[in-house]
Amino acid sequence: MRLILAILGGLLFVAAMVIWASLTPIDGLPTGAAHPDIPHMSIGGDAAARSLPLLLPIYFWQVGVIVTACLLLLLGIAPRRRTGAVVIGVGCVGLVCIAVWTGLIVSYRDVLLSGETPYALGFPVTTAWMNYGIWLSLAGFTGLYVWGFKRFIHTDEDEAAFQAIVAANLAAQDEADT
Amino acid sequence: MEAYRQPIILACVGIYMLLSIGVGIWAIRRTKSASDFFVAGRSLGPIVVGMAVFSSTLSGFGFVGGPGLVYNTGLSSVWMVVCSSLGYAIGFFLVAKRVRMISEVRETISLPDVLAVRYSSETVRLLTGIVILIGVLGYLATQILAMALVLQSILAATEMFAGIGLITCALISLSVLVFYSFTGGIIASVYTDLVQGLVMMVAGVMVVFTAMTVFDGGLAEASRIIFADDPETIMPFGTLGMAASLAWFFMFGLGLAGQPHVVTKFMMNRNVSDARAIMPISLVGYMISAMLWVTIGVVMHAAVLGGLLNPLTGADQAAPEFLNLFANPLLAGIVFAGLFCGDNVDGGCVPEHRRGSLHSRYSEGDTWTSVEE
């Protein structure tokens, strides 16, 4: 029950950050505008004017989403198997995700302040953080699932109990048929 | 080979359409009960389910709409893609095992069934069905539009069908789709998903290499051209800005687990423990295939800005035009053909709606036990 309340708390925190971002006054084009010369294309306009004031609420918004996601993943594990090691495992992947997100925001702020960017793997560095970093850091949860499947998702004990239910179910059906 | 570009593309699509019809006919023979029709008798291996999960998640929208969104709004929409790792994680940690177990013990065949069993309520079943119906209508429409746009793009390049309309293309695509999914049920759907998944993975890799050759400086050159025009377009939040991008991340990252065409596939694996292999297969397949989303959009955006191409007549033309102009004819043909698998148009969504009417077709003599019993 406490985990559910923590998830609710996480969602309320995200909502609060959304409200903070919504109430922050910005200049420029909040959601872009049509490209002046080319149809079916848009532009973002003055990046610093529209994005710098929002960096902080947006940063904490995503941190809230990552923390809430970690809590949701823990909710998917049976309470008796939510050991300290499991919580640490999910927490470590969550921290890596937050670290990558921090790298993205810091490099984005640098671009906004300087107007220039270095490139990495075909994209501006801050975009590379998103294209490669966000994706791969979140994939850590998949690694955790594969590694922990027999340990805390579906143990041999769970499988035996499940097979017993299936067998009992089949026996009851056979009895009903005859 | 370039001289035969259109015939090659048409041949690939034609062969694929025939293959889909063949799969439908083959699947009829394998479909003997409602359970076979809706959840493939819970008999599929992890590779088939894994590929079906990711190809129905990415779908025709990823092939056509994704590059179109990047062309139109820069990298804003890529947040829909990079959140997939989280979406799969939540889906598998929270839902996959439980849905599979309920499915076997209570003979459930759809998401409304599962929820009706969980909450012992027919009202829940009805409400879930209504919500799914409302939710998927727009989504299905975009999938059909994607198929029709691609078919139109292929046929319009030929002399004979130069003036073909979008509605005609939608009807042709739908005819094949309805035939194989209605006759073959989910078995036909998942095996076409499997082929589509393989096509998407191969295409994802090959398209990236193709895209890197469009500009001498590769993707970095394309990024520089876009940056010079409007830096925000190639920044991580695109032209729509931070809030809109993260809203997509929130919606798809946390919401992927609830998509009916994905949840239905969680019921199809042979063993509960197959989920351990299905999850990484789905994720890796998705990641490889989705490279196409980003690279085509970025390259086409830069190609128009850099004067290599005239502006497109619509953002959704980005992928078809890229394939027509830059890709090897065989690669273009294979990718176009992959789009005609119908992906999640035929997948998990449709059984939710037709469960009632088709249940009667298979219920006599099979082992299906209704949840009410």
Side-chain angles (χ1 to χ4, degrees):
Chain A
M1 191 61 190
R2 279 185 302 172
L3 194 53
I4 285 284
L5 290 176
I7 290 166
L8 178 64
L11 290 172
L12 289 174
F13 177 79
V14 172
M17 294 304 103
V18 172
I19 292 169
W20 180 12
S22 306
L23 296 179
T24 304
I26 57 166
D27 295 324
L29 309 165
T31 54
H35 196 285
D37 304 318
I38 301 172
H40 309 295
M41 244 186 222
S42 58
I43 54 165
D46 186 346
R50 74 171 188 165
S51 296
L52 270 177
L54 290 176
L55 275 185
L56 214 51
I58 291 290
Y59 174 75
F60 285 114
W61 166 350
Q62 186 69 351
V63 169
V65 170
I66 293 169
V67 171
T68 306
C70 288
L71 296 172
L72 278 168
L73 297 180
L74 285 173
L75 189 69
I77 299 167
R80 65 183 182 284
R81 300 223 168 82
R82 268 180 231 143
T83 60
V86 171
V87 174
I88 288 170
V90 173
C92 284
V93 177
L95 282 176
V96 171
C97 295
I98 291 173
V100 169
W101 169 241
T102 306
L104 187 156
I105 285 292
V106 168
S107 55
Y108 185 50
R109 188 198 58 189
D110 292 345
V111 179
L112 295 180
L113 292 175
S114 68
E116 293 175 356
T117 178
Y119 287 81
L121 300 170
F123 295 99
V125 164
T126 181
T127 308
W129 274 108
M130 176 192 63
N131 273 347
Y132 308 111
I134 296 281
W135 218 339
L136 291 174
S137 62
L138 290 168
F141 291 124
T142 300
L144 198 64
Y145 185 82
V146 173
W147 175 78
F149 191 83
K150 286 283 179 189
R151 292 174 173 84
F152 52 81
I153 299 287
H154 188 67
T155 63
D156 291 338
E157 184 189 325
D158 290 342
E159 179 63 22
F162 175 63
Q163 290 304 333
I165 292 171
V166 171
N169 208 32
L170 283 174
Q173 263 184 14
D174 286 346
E175 197 173 317
D177 289 345
T178 54
Chain B
M1 189 181 262
E2 204 55 42
Y4 300 103
R5 170 173 282 272
Q6 286 313 121
I8 290 172
I9 293 173
L10 276 173
C12 288
V13 173
I15 289 169
Y16 197 81
M17 283 184 165
L18 290 174
L19 185 69
S20 296
I21 292 169
V23 167
I25 293 167
W26 168 77
I28 291 173
R29 297 181 182 176
R30 280 195 59 182
T31 305
K32 295 182 172 60
S33 67
S35 172
D36 288 342
F37 193 92
F38 293 108
V39 291
R42 285 182 291 277
S43 62
L44 301 177
I47 293 176
V48 177
V49 178
M51 299 290 271
V53 165
F54 104 73
S55 65
S56 57
T57 315
L58 193 58
S59 72
F61 173 69
F63 263 35
V64 178
L69 280 171
V70 174
Y71 178 84
N72 187 354
T73 63
L75 295 185
S76 307
S77 68
V78 179
W79 288 91
M80 277 189 223
V81 179
V82 295
C83 69
S84 59
S85 310
L86 180 62
Y88 283 130
I90 291 177
F92 277 86
F93 271 80
L94 271 177
V95 182
K97 171 189 159 185
R98 290 168 176 83
V99 164
R100 174 62 183 79
M101 291 168 91
I102 288 175
S103 171
E104 182 158 353
V105 172
R106 301 298 297 269
E107 297 284 339
T108 59
I109 57 174
S110 68
L111 183 56
D113 276 355
V114 171
L115 291 173
V117 169
R118 169 64 181 80
Y119 295 102
S120 303
S121 166
E122 284 307 302
T123 310
V124 168
R125 185 202 302 275
L126 177 68
L127 290 175
T128 310
I130 291 170
V131 167
I132 290 172
L133 186 63
I134 295 169
V136 300
L137 274 178
Y139 198 54
L140 292 176
T142 61
Q143 303 297 332
I144 293 162
L145 177 63
M147 295 169 72
L149 274 170
V150 171
L151 187 60
Q152 188 185 32
S153 169
I154 299 166
L155 294 178
T158 62
E159 281 182 25
M160 190 184 294
F161 300 105
I164 194 164
L166 194 62
I167 299 291
T168 311
C169 293
L171 288 173
I172 295 170
S173 307
L174 263 177
S175 304
V176 177
L177 173 73
V178 167
F179 175 81
Y180 80 77
S181 63
F182 198 86
T183 53
I186 206 73
I187 295 176
S189 168
V190 291
Y191 278 98
T192 49
D193 277 348
L194 173 67
V195 177
Q196 188 190 30
L198 291 169
V199 166
M200 287 166 97
M201 286 174 71
V202 172
V205 174
M206 294 180 74
V207 160
V208 169
F209 284 112
T210 304
M212 288 166 78
T213 62
V214 172
F215 294 96
D216 289 340
L219 274 177
E221 179 64 20
S223 296
R224 283 191 188 92
I225 292 171
I226 298 172
F227 190 85
D229 180 69
D230 175 54
E232 278 288 78
T233 305
I234 196 68
M235 288 288 112
F237 303 104
T239 64
L240 292 180
M242 290 193 283
S245 300
L246 289 190
W248 265 330
F249 183 95
F250 183 84
M251 188 165 72
F252 287 90
L254 303 188
L256 190 148
Q259 292 187 40
H261 51 281
V262 176
V263 175
T264 307
K265 290 188 171 72
F266 290 158
M267 300 178 201
M268 296 176 190
N269 41 305
R270 200 174 297 128
N271 304 303
V272 177
S273 56
D274 288 343
R276 185 186 194 181
I278 292 170
M279 185 182 182
I281 290 170
S282 303
L283 183 63
V284 170
Y286 188 99
M287 284 174 142
I288 293 172
S289 306
M291 293 192 294
L292 180 150
W293 179 312
V294 183
T295 49
I296 289 183
V298 166
V299 165
M300 290 302 282
H301 198 109
V304 170
L305 288 176
L308 273 183
L309 298 176
N310 290 324
L312 303 181
T313 53
D316 284 342
Q317 290 298 326
E321 285 297 307
F322 175 88
L323 292 169
N324 275 326
L325 294 172
F326 298 120
N328 176 288
L330 198 56
L331 171 63
I334 290 170
V335 176
F336 280 134
L339 280 165
F340 285 87
C341 296
D343 43 70
N344 46 357
V345 179
D346 61 346
C349 312
V350 184
E352 314 292 347
H353 316 315
R354 54 188 190 196
R355 193 184 70 82
S357 61
L358 286 172
H359 172 228
S360 57
R361 178 177 155 190
Y362 289 111
S363 58
E364 192 178 340
D366 73 21
T367 56
W368 198 85
T369 309
S370 71
V371 173
E372 305 89 278
E373 289 165 353

